[in-house]
Amino acid sequence: MRDQETRTINYLDLEEISRMGNLANAGAGLKKMYIASVGALICVVLAFIPVVNILAAVGALVFMVMSMIGLHQTGNDIEGCRTAFTLTIVNIIISVVGAFFHSGIMHIIVVIAGYLISAMVTYLVCNSVGEVMNRIGAMEAARKGETAWKINAVCYVLLTVIAVAQSLPVFGFLTSLIGSLIVLVLSVIASVFYMLFLGQSSHALSA
């Protein structure tokens, strides 16, 4: 009886998910995001190598565009990713505006706004795709997504503290130095979880 109930629940979940659209299409979008995240991480490593760092900068831009294309494609089927794509565009606009403020309160406000939106984008992707993963039984992928956005949230909180602390003498320098090292380590861990999340999610939806 329990097995029959489980099969019924799974059937209903899959039927509900099918109303979202073509899941294979969402899987293709997530695969682009996965490839882009791997490529972006490689570019970060290459950025520390002289001469090659120029190619790394170009590559990072290419992978950023690829990730946005994948996010838009996924957003055609998953509402949370559609919202995340819109916020990504808003964040780019804020970054352009922020280029005109190099210091002062406006600079801090623009920087914090960018951190907040970036955190929301990561949460929306991980949460919305994670819900789909839970419904189709890919619990491991969903857990990795949850871990990724939580670690990212901690990073952005620390970055916000650093942005404010930089305006303070001495104490601000020490806070920025220690905080930056912590953020660096956490960011690498979050990136690994996020990559695994995207890879497993794309595989689950394309299977």
Side-chain angles (χ1 to χ4, degrees), residues 32 36 40 43 55-69:
K32 289 184 180 70
C43 287
L55 295 176
V58 176
L61 180 61
V62 172
F63 287 124
M64 183 187 74
V65 173
M66 183 179 184
S67 179
M68 289 183 63
I69 292 174

Side-chain angles (χ1 to χ4, degrees), residues 44-183:
V44 170
V45 176
L46 295 178
F48 292 96
I49 303 175
V51 181
V52 180
N53 56 4
I54 298 177
L55 295 176
V58 176
L61 180 61
V62 172
F63 287 124
M64 183 187 74
V65 173
M66 183 179 184
S67 179
M68 289 183 63
I69 292 174
L71 181 58
H72 180 268
Q73 186 175 4
T74 305
N76 289 330
D77 300 329
I78 302 177
E79 180 64 31
C81 290
R82 183 181 302 120
T83 304
F85 177 78
T86 301
L87 287 177
T88 300
I89 298 299
V90 172
N91 206 14
I92 291 175
I93 296 174
I94 289 178
S95 297
V96 173
V97 173
F100 295 97
F101 302 98
H102 302 289
S103 61
I105 186 65
M106 282 303 301
H107 171 73
I108 295 177
I109 291 175
V110 170
V111 168
I112 293 177
Y115 291 154
L116 177 61
I117 294 176
S118 295
M120 290 176 63
V121 168
T122 303
Y123 169 76
L124 286 168
V125 172
C126 293
N127 187 61
S128 60
V129 176
E131 286 181 356
V132 176
M133 292 300 103
N134 281 322
R135 287 171 180 163
I136 65 176
M139 309 299 184
E140 186 62 29
R143 282 193 290 270
K144 284 186 173 62
E146 183 178 3
T147 301
W149 78 254
K150 285 182 177 179
I151 297 177
N152 260 298
V154 173
C155 288
Y156 286 118
V157 169
L158 290 174
L159 286 170
T160 299
V161 172
I162 292 172
V164 175
Q166 283 177 340
S167 61
L168 304 175
V170 183
F171 177 75
F173 172 76
L174 293 176
T175 301
S176 299
L177 180 61
I178 297 173
S180 296
L181 291 174
I182 296 175
V183 169

Side-chain angles (χ1 to χ4, degrees), residues 1-14:
M1 176 67 70
R2 184 178 296 274
D3 290 341
Q4 183 177 359
E5 290 177 354
T6 301
R7 285 195 297 270
T8 301
I9 292 173
N10 288 339
Y11 172 76
L12 291 174
D13 285 344
L14 288 172

